[in-house]
Amino acid sequence: MKRLIALTLILVAATAYVTVKYFNNLNTSGAHAGNIIRTIPADAALVFEFTNEKSFYDIYSGNDLLNNLIGDEQAKDLDTVRKVLLGNNTIKSFFDDRNVFISVHPTKQEGINLLLTTSAKEMDIDQLIDLSKASGAKMLVTPLKIDNKPGFTIFFNSIKKRLYLINIDGGIFSASFSKELIASAAAYKPNRGKLPFMLLPDKQTANSLANLYVNYKHTDLLFEQLFKHKNIDIFKPFRLLPAQAALNINFKNDAVMFSGYTNIDNDEPASYLNIFTNQQPVENSLKSIYPSTTAYALNMAVSDVKKFAAGLTRFHDNAGLKAEREALFAKIKGETGISLKKEFEQLLGNEFAFVTTRYGERFALIAVKNGSNLRPVMTNISNMVNDDVGQFNYNKLPYFLLGDAFNAFRKPYFRVIDNYLILANTAKEIESYNDTYFNRKFLNKMDDHRRFDNLLAEKSNVSFFLQFRNAQQILKAGLKDEYYAAYKNNNLSWKKFYAASYQFAASDKNFYTNFCLLLNQPDTTANKNLN
């Protein structure tokens, strides 16, 4: 009996020791990740994290899925760093199994560049000086100091490029092929009170193959570098959102898929998308009537229309638009006798979307509860072109009724089809959508799109969609020349993907988030022709 009690005590002690050790390791890991990511300059829009271990590289060996996201040149550069520098036997053991953070930064002189940040296990930076000898002719290492931080310039013979590497703090190192960016990293003074990125829980990080961190407001700076004009509406509401996301990768051979959480920064002024955090996720059905020519679309869905309307009113009031809104609806009431805001909200369904086609057509697709009841309301505030189509007599109605996403429709034309209100800026566009609807020319009729749609969450509150083939002419007109040339001509680029989707589903006043990119299916007809 005594032996049994002693054995039991030993087992309990051992279990306690292992448990404490496990959670201590988790806490250390989480704190360590926080210490590293804190050193990354806060203008980063995106940070990709993975573990520098063989299993990660083995999984993506021979698969260019992730390389398509950064393109030929950047992929080759990073592969050289991995194989020639981190894989060098002199220092390999110091960087094995360490978390590597690749952050995306806009720079004033050099466009968009990548910064690598990681830590080393008890490595003396002076050991790097011996790399030239150890690598043969593969690289040349020379000392460097930036902002009193020691480092090295590493010239890779294979790609004829210089990598700038500095010791940021303690065992933390940053490196970039951009001297402007590494200088920014060296001079950066982190905010000790607040991280620019949301971190994943320790358990989640430990079990994750790779993670993606997003600072939404900083994606606006990224878009300024990519596009010729600041006011491009692609992904715009997301770029204005005061929030950070932490997402896990979900491995799939033919798709890039991330899921996780987006947390709203309540210390910052609210944006349009903040309104949707107070809703419940809704099944998305409006996408079933997207035209087959859809280039990109933004779909909003609400479980409680009254709550949405109240939230939109508060948002406009906080923006100083109360007087303008009330004057507009008072004018409509006086001239038509219609309490438009009240009647529209009573008839509004659960979904509304803004769609842009490959031809530059813009449609608002709005689900309503009863199209027959809505039609006379719309007719009374419009100048009718024919029995079915009219143009609003009043300015900015879609903006005040549905919000920022519909600001492009000032005095739009309308048509009610079944239980949908269709808006467009020209009568010709209304006629075009009429042809799409009655001839069933919808995106969801296509095999590729159904394959893509099967990967998406069925319910959301905000969903952005982009179909790359349909968007090509819009990207050609909007992207800066060098970025469009890379998109079109590189073997590795986003053109390899069929489509992208970014979905928000409200959860505890924040958003559960899904990001998906699906590769195009291989063209089997070419092989058949060869045979």
Side-chain angles (χ1 to χ4, degrees):
M1 186 68 180
K2 288 182 179 179
R3 286 185 63 190
L4 182 60
I5 293 173
L7 183 59
T8 302
L9 290 173
I10 290 170
L11 288 173
V12 169
T15 302
Y17 172 79
V18 170
T19 303
V20 170
K21 189 74 174 173
Y22 172 73
F23 282 104
N24 279 343
N25 285 338
L26 282 181
N27 292 333
T28 302
S29 172
H32 192 56
N35 287 337
I36 296 173
I37 207 169
R38 193 185 297 278
T39 67
I40 297 173
D43 63 351
L46 308 167
V47 178
F48 180 72
E49 177 194 10
F50 64 96
T51 304
N52 181 40
E53 60 183 7
K54 187 175 182 297
S55 61
F56 175 79
Y57 302 113
D58 285 346
I59 287 171
Y60 286 100
S61 177
N63 186 330
D64 286 326
L65 193 63
L66 295 178
N67 288 336
N68 283 312
L69 299 176
I70 58 175
D72 294 349
E73 186 177 352
Q74 300 274 31
K76 186 176 180 181
D77 291 348
L78 292 178
D79 195 50
T80 301
V81 172
R82 177 176 74 88
K83 290 178 178 177
V84 180
L85 179 60
L86 298 182
N88 188 284
N89 289 329
T90 304
I91 61 169
K92 185 177 182 299
S93 62
F94 297 116
F95 292 101
D96 278 348
D97 302 322
R98 308 303 279 182
N99 285 11
V100 178
F101 297 81
I102 301 176
S103 49
V104 183
H105 300 259
T107 55
K108 292 180 180 179
Q109 304 298 325
E110 301 173 351
I112 296 170
N113 279 293
L114 304 181
L115 180 73
L116 282 72
T117 307
T118 189
S119 62
K121 294 173 280 190
E122 300 175 357
M123 187 188 76
D124 184 346
I125 191 171
D126 290 333
Q127 290 176 268
L128 291 172
I129 200 68
D130 297 325
L131 285 177
S132 295
K133 299 173 185 176
S135 67
K138 291 182 180 179
M139 58 183 165
L140 177 65
V141 181
T142 54
L144 170 74
K145 183 168 279 193
I146 300 179
D147 206 64
N148 289 321
K149 291 183 171 64
F152 294 91
T153 301
I154 302 170
F155 181 79
F156 295 105
N157 279 316
S158 60
I159 57 174
K160 305 301 180 190
K161 283 188 175 182
R162 289 177 175 84
L163 178 76
Y164 304 96
L165 182 147
I166 57 171
N167 187 190
I168 290 288
D169 182 31
I172 300 173
F173 294 84
S174 289
S176 178
F177 286 96
S178 164
K179 195 166 187 179
E180 180 185 349
L181 179 53
I182 202 67
S184 174
Y188 179 63
K189 301 291 188 289
N191 181 347
R192 295 293 175 184
K194 185 177 181 181
L195 281 171
F197 290 94
M198 167 188 169
L199 291 179
L200 287 162
D202 297 335
K203 279 187 179 181
Q204 203 170 338
T205 303
N207 296 322
S208 174
L209 182 66
N211 306 310
L212 179 67
Y213 304 96
V214 184
N215 188 319
Y216 291 97
K217 295 194 81 171
H218 291 167
T219 59
D220 207 34
L221 298 173
L222 206 59
F223 271 65
E224 284 182 23
Q225 290 284 357
L226 289 169
F227 289 89
K228 297 172 184 175
H229 307 291
K230 280 186 176 183
N231 61 349
I232 186 80
D233 59 6
I234 294 175
F235 208 63
K236 188 173 183 179
F238 293 84
R239 287 154 34 207
L240 300 176
L241 183 68
Q244 297 84 37
L247 313 174
N248 292 129
I249 197 169
N250 303 308
F251 178 74
K252 206 172 186 302
N253 278 322
D254 60 350
V256 176
M257 300 181 69
F258 285 92
S259 60
Y261 284 92
T262 291
N263 281 3
I264 303 298
D265 188 345
N266 294 310
D267 294 330
E268 295 287 330
S271 76
Y272 172 58
L273 295 191
N274 287 66
I275 299 169
F276 297 90
T277 60
N278 293 312
Q279 299 289 325
Q280 295 297 316
V282 172
E283 186 172 341
N284 297 162
S285 58
L286 202 56
K287 61 187 177 182
S288 66
I289 62 166
Y290 285 0
S292 60
T293 54
T294 298
Y296 58 93
L298 181 67
N299 185 86
M300 281 72 66
V302 295
S303 56
D304 188 326
V305 172
K306 286 186 178 180
K307 187 182 286 187
F308 165 74
L312 183 61
T313 296
R314 285 193 299 273
F315 178 69
H316 285 151
D317 289 351
N318 292 336
L321 297 170
K322 181 178 181 179
E324 182 184 357
R325 182 191 66 241
E326 291 185 348
L328 174 62
F329 289 119
K331 182 180 180 182
I332 295 170
K333 174 73 173 175
E335 294 178 356
T336 67
I338 295 174
S339 299
L340 181 63
K341 191 171 185 296
K342 179 181 178 182
E343 294 198 31
F344 184 81
E345 288 167 8
Q346 287 175 345
L347 290 168
L348 180 62
N350 293 107
E351 284 187 271
F352 32 97
F354 177 91
V355 176
T356 301
T357 72
R358 65 186 302 171
Y359 304 113
E361 300 165 313
R362 292 178 167 187
F363 304 116
L365 310 180
I366 302 159
V368 296
K369 294 172 183 174
N370 189 312
S372 298
N373 290 346
L374 179 69
R375 192 177 184 282
V377 176
M378 295 293 100
T379 300
N380 282 332
I381 63 165
S382 302
N383 176 36
M384 298 303 292
V385 177
N386 55 45
D387 289 343
D388 297 312
V389 179
Q391 183 180 18
F392 286 2
N393 291 324
Y394 304 94
N395 195 30
K396 293 178 70 173
L397 278 178
Y399 172 74
F400 282 116
L401 292 171
L402 295 170
D404 288 19
F406 300 88
N407 198 32
F409 303 104
R410 295 294 173 150
K411 283 188 176 181
Y413 290 80
F414 85 91
R415 177 166 182 165
V416 178
I417 306 176
D418 295 334
N419 287 331
Y420 301 109
L421 170 64
I422 313 301
L423 304 179
N425 284 321
T426 66
K428 187 177 180 180
E429 287 171 298
I430 291 289
E431 184 182 339
S432 173
Y433 189 80
N434 185 61
D435 175 63
T436 292
Y437 189 86
F438 286 104
N439 290 299
R440 319 311 283 174
K441 297 178 182 178
F442 298 135
L443 197 60
N444 70 350
K445 301 295 183 184
M446 299 179 174
D447 290 340
D448 280 353
H449 188 75
R450 287 198 294 269
R451 191 168 65 96
F452 176 74
D453 195 56
N454 286 337
L455 298 176
L456 307 184
E458 291 184 2
K459 294 182 177 182
S460 71
N461 297 104
V462 184
S463 181
F464 174 78
F465 166 77
L466 186 145
Q467 208 260 37
F468 289 99
R469 191 180 300 115
N470 284 343
Q472 181 157 326
Q473 289 305 310
I474 293 171
L475 294 174
K476 181 179 180 180
L479 284 170
K480 291 179 180 177
D481 292 344
E482 63 271 28
Y483 292 115
Y484 179 73
Y487 168 82
K488 183 183 178 184
N489 300 322
N490 284 0
N491 289 325
L492 299 175
S493 85
W494 288 62
K495 76 172 185 290
K496 296 287 187 179
F497 294 101
Y498 165 75
S501 171
Y502 206 93
Q503 295 176 284
F504 281 162
S507 175
D508 295 328
K509 303 295 179 69
N510 292 296
F511 290 117
Y512 187 77
T513 305
N514 287 291
F515 172 42
C516 177
L517 280 158
L518 177 68
L519 281 175
N520 286 310
Q521 284 190 305
D523 185 1
T524 56
T525 58
N527 294 331
K528 287 178 181 178
N529 291 335
L530 287 173
N531 294 332

